[in-house]
Amino acid sequence: MAADDAFHVYDTTLRDGAQQEGLNLSVADKLSIARTLDGLGVGYIEGGWPGANPKDTEFFRRAASELDLRHATLAAFGATRRAGVAAADDPLVAALRDSGAQVVTLVAKSHDRHVELALRTTLEENLAMVRDTVAHLTAEGQRVFLDAEHFFDGYRANRAYALEVLRTAYEAGAEVAALCDTNGGMLPTWVGDVVNDVVETTGGRVGIHCHNDTGCAVANSLAAVDAGATHVQGTVNGYGERTGNADLVTVVANLELKLDRPVLPPGKLVEATRTAHAVAEVTNVPPASRQPYVGTSAFAHKAGLHASAIKVDPDLYQHMDPAGVGNDMRLLVSDMAGRASIELKARELGFDLSEDRDLVSRITQRVKVLENRGYTFEAADASFELLLEEEVNGHRPSYVDVEFWRVITETGPAAGPGSDALSEATVKLRAGGVRYVVTGEGNGPVNALDQALRSAIGQAYPEVAKLELVDYKVRILDQGHGTDAITRVLIETSDGAGTWVTVGVGPNVIEASWEALLDAVTFGLRRHEH
């Protein structure tokens, strides 16, 4: 076994991960994700099932000329030949053979009931299907891995047969047999016992493929490695059907950082956070903020007690340096904040408050009062930074003097049945010494206000044209009040180089939105100056 082949990090985001509900990848998406995964340094990228659907067939065709993989080997996924058909004559096996992939991962039944009820064939024929397909593809010059589907359930039902499937694959030339917890029902100690038995009984190379239905996919994968598995499969961000697959990034980070097992090329683990977020951008599935290692909240601290300790030594409340996975520590400002939280967060934003205890106390008290009214600064760093500047410099950054704003939303018979309501906003303000009166239209009142505000300010500050509202969230704070409840609005804005979040609060959702919009533009202009 070559040194760089001693442990396989095998990613199946493009195939098994793509089976997640609501996740749809184009061929271009899959090519983009493959390049990102290669940048992380994974050993194998499972591209899909050529021959089973046109998209995956097209992916492998384009991959041959468009992918220049530096670390990863592309793998094609497919099934053993059909019952009663020679492997050389099976069109789906031919598609695997012709895919151009150096590695083929074959899924095979290892549960006797699945053989008889799903494949509707005999146990002996299933073994022949495994033997013939593996032997045929290896004879054609391809490396073959086996995914033993439903292995753990099959092992419990008929240990002898499940093991015989593995032996058959090994003898025919399969390099590794990945034991699949297809239904995701296993627990770590059970997985460890089974993997240990397989390693000792067969002597073959063992891999692990876990689903997360018990919430144990990562733990089960680690238990398998501890018991002797040297090939681990998973998906970025834990994508996959039902509750998902083992999160490959979490598994790899635990192996490298906790168990001192380097499984990626040196220096590549720092790409973990960037990789997870980049893949999330392509899939359009927002990354979980509390995702281990790479989530935006993975190293976020809110309680004042924690901040006091972190001020002395960050390691007191962190299990590792977040830079090791390309992440950052974040201090959250909230009504739980103490002086240390405010001081550390201010330092993070470029304000040194260490010499002014009264200023820190004043800011802390103001934050607590505002949070009690419904504001939240833990998710709105931009609004907090504007507050800091107001307290430190004695005035809030201001580029405009707003005289008046108004929004009208109307519809009626003239618009026709089923027509959307039209929103129109008028804004009067002074910017750069000039008075502007601008009207904006939109598909809603906030959109209309945004159009009018940026159109007016943009005449004095053209850089506003780069600003784009990318997310808008509304939260009702006192739900018992119904339609007269206090509303909190969070707005995320981008200038193409970065994003920031601002907050507005009020009994009127439009008023709260206006406050957040004005802060967003103010912060964007301040950011441009700096």
Side-chain angles (χ1 to χ4, degrees):
M1 190 182 304
D4 61 354
D5 201 42
F7 193 96
H8 292 173
V9 176
Y10 184 106
D11 181 273
T12 182
T13 302
L14 302 183
R15 200 271 308 174
D16 219 9
Q19 296 184 47
Q20 176 167 311
E21 183 178 7
L23 197 159
N24 296 290
L25 299 176
S26 67
V27 174
D29 291 339
K30 296 181 71 165
L31 291 167
S32 174
I33 291 173
R35 295 185 188 98
T36 301
L37 294 172
D38 185 55
L40 178 63
V42 302
Y44 298 88
I45 299 172
E46 189 173 83
W49 190 331
N53 63 76
K55 184 187 296 182
D56 285 357
T57 302
E58 176 70 6
F59 169 80
F60 281 95
R61 187 190 67 78
R62 291 179 58 180
S65 59
E66 297 181 33
L67 283 185
D68 181 20
L69 301 178
R70 298 177 180 273
H71 302 285
T73 297
L74 198 61
F77 179 87
T80 55
R81 68 161 174 82
R82 291 171 294 166
V85 177
D89 298 329
D90 190 309
L92 285 179
V93 175
L96 296 172
R97 186 180 62 233
D98 300 336
S99 66
Q102 297 179 39
V103 173
V104 172
T105 299
L106 289 174
V107 62
K109 300 293 187 185
S110 56
H111 190 316
D112 55 359
R113 292 185 67 244
H114 277 266
V115 172
E116 295 170 339
L117 298 179
L119 290 183
R120 298 182 181 180
T121 191
T122 65
L123 301 185
E124 292 75 15
E125 175 63 7
N126 182 58
L127 294 176
M129 291 158 62
V130 172
R131 181 185 306 109
D132 297 349
T133 312
V134 173
H136 173 70
L137 292 173
T138 54
E140 293 292 324
Q142 290 175 295
R143 300 168 60 192
V144 176
F145 299 164
L146 188 85
D147 272 4
E149 190 182 34
H150 294 284
F151 182 83
F152 292 94
D153 296 324
Y155 177 95
R156 286 180 164 181
N158 187 338
R159 172 181 176 274
Y161 185 75
L163 293 174
E164 188 60 28
V165 171
L166 303 186
R167 288 194 189 94
T168 300
Y170 291 137
E171 291 169 1
E175 294 183 22
V176 58
L179 313 184
C180 301
D181 182 19
T182 309
N183 289 342
M186 298 297 286
L187 297 177
T189 53
W190 303 347
V191 169
D193 289 343
V194 173
V195 171
N196 183 68
D197 182 31
V198 171
V199 170
E200 290 188 352
T201 303
T202 67
R205 183 169 189 175
V206 174
I208 187 68
H209 176 110
C210 293
H211 286 256
N212 201 39
D213 298 74
T214 61
C216 293
V218 169
N220 287 344
S221 300
L222 295 173
V225 172
D226 187 57
T230 57
H231 168 113
V232 64
Q233 299 187 8
T235 62
V236 173
N237 299 324
Y239 297 142
E241 59 186 337
R242 305 189 310 277
T243 58
N245 290 41
D247 187 327
L248 192 65
V249 171
T250 305
V251 173
V252 165
N254 282 328
L255 288 172
E256 293 218 350
L257 299 173
K258 305 301 182 181
L259 300 177
D260 197 25
R261 297 189 61 160
V263 296
L264 293 179
K268 286 298 182 181
L269 188 59
V270 297
E271 298 293 328
T273 301
R274 183 193 64 81
T275 298
H277 292 191
V279 172
E281 284 297 317
V282 177
T283 62
N284 201 30
V285 177
S289 62
R290 295 190 296 168
Q291 192 171 336
Y293 290 104
V294 300
T296 56
S297 298
F299 300 95
H301 305 276
K302 182 173 180 177
L305 177 64
H306 288 204
S308 298
I310 287 171
K311 185 178 177 182
V312 177
D313 182 353
D315 291 340
L316 292 176
Y317 273 96
Q318 292 185 159
H319 69 100
M320 62 162 289
D321 182 352
V325 290
N327 208 342
D328 293 308
M329 181 182 75
R330 294 171 56 235
L331 273 299
L332 306 179
V333 176
S334 73
D335 59 354
M336 296 176 65
R339 291 169 45 85
S341 295
I342 297 296
E343 189 175 331
L344 285 171
K345 184 64 179 178
R347 185 184 306 165
E348 179 184 314
L349 297 174
F351 296 84
D352 184 2
L353 308 182
S354 58
E355 301 300 321
D356 195 334
R357 296 178 59 85
D358 290 341
L359 177 59
V360 174
S361 296
R362 189 169 72 245
I363 294 172
T364 303
Q365 185 58 34
R366 184 175 175 187
V367 166
K368 291 180 183 292
V369 170
L370 289 172
E371 292 256 348
N372 189 54
R373 286 170 48 192
Y375 288 82
T376 178
F377 294 106
E378 64 183 71
D381 278 2
S383 287
F384 179 67
E385 190 167 335
L386 294 176
L387 181 152
L388 275 177
E389 186 156 333
E390 180 180 352
E391 291 290 343
V392 171
N393 299 325
H395 59 85
R396 193 177 188 84
S398 178
Y399 299 88
V400 299
D401 180 17
V402 179
E403 297 180 14
F404 166 89
W405 63 266
R406 176 181 62 200
V407 181
I408 300 172
T409 299
E410 60 181 351
T411 187
S419 298
D420 294 331
L422 174 67
S423 292
E424 180 181 282
T426 301
V427 172
K428 299 179 183 179
L429 54 80
R430 298 186 70 85
V434 179
R435 183 173 185 267
Y436 298 100
V437 179
V438 175
T439 298
E441 292 182 340
N443 57 10
V446 177
N447 181 231
L449 263 180
D450 182 42
Q451 295 293 332
L453 174 62
R454 291 199 289 133
S455 178
I457 297 178
Q459 297 182 58
Y461 302 100
E463 55 269 30
V464 168
K466 298 180 181 179
L467 306 187
E468 179 184 3
L469 192 155
V470 296
D471 199 7
Y472 175 79
K473 297 184 178 74
V474 177
R475 172 82 180 274
I476 304 301
L477 300 181
D478 45 356
Q479 297 176 2
H481 282 251
T483 56
D484 66 342
I486 298 295
T487 303
R488 176 167 66 218
V489 170
L490 290 171
I491 287 179
E492 183 176 0
T493 306
S494 172
D495 61 0
T499 62
W500 56 92
V501 178
T502 51
V503 61
V505 172
N508 183 312
V509 65
I510 309 302
E511 184 180 358
S513 300
W514 170 261
E515 181 182 8
L517 279 172
L518 192 57
D519 267 9
V521 172
T522 300
F523 185 86
L525 291 172
R526 177 182 178 276
R527 174 184 166 94
H528 179 79
E529 282 187 350
H530 289 71

